[in-house]
Amino acid sequence: LGGTLCRSCAAADTRKIYAKVQALRALRHLENSPAPLEEIFDRLELTQQARYDLRDVLLQSLNAHLSIKWKSRAFLDEILAG
């Protein structure tokens, strides 16, 4: 959960998450934008697969860093559902 991997490193990582380039670009945009999440998602035109990839990456990252059951999961599911 530390970033993108080259092919040789990805082959050795059993916890890797696959994500399309569109989802990775959306993550970069989320990281660099001061706008609220809802506004960003309204502007991004993501394919359904990119939304799934983005959801998986965000959920895995949140689960890895939070040791509590978080309540914002419903919000994340809602905005990523499209």
Side-chain angles (χ1 to χ4, degrees):
L1 294 171
T4 56
L5 300 172
C6 68
R7 288 185 190 267
S8 61
C9 291
D13 189 344
T14 58
R15 297 182 334 162
K16 64 186 165 279
I17 303 167
Y18 289 100
K20 300 281 186 199
V21 172
Q22 187 184 31
L24 297 175
R25 287 182 182 149
L27 281 171
R28 187 179 312 132
H29 187 71
L30 288 170
E31 180 180 38
N32 296 322
S33 177
L37 280 178
E38 299 95 333
E39 193 175 304
I40 295 169
F41 278 99
D42 286 344
R43 286 185 287 173
L44 293 174
E45 294 182 17
L46 299 174
T47 63
Q48 195 61 39
Q49 184 60 52
R51 286 178 182 272
Y52 291 140
D53 290 349
L54 188 55
R55 179 198 62 207
D56 292 345
V57 169
L58 290 172
L59 290 177
Q60 289 290 336
S61 181
L62 286 169
N63 287 335
H65 294 285
L66 298 176
S67 59
I68 59 172
K69 185 171 175 84
W70 42 286
K71 297 179 182 179
S72 57
R73 168 88 189 257
F75 170 74
L76 184 60
D77 288 342
E78 180 182 323
I79 62 172
L80 292 175

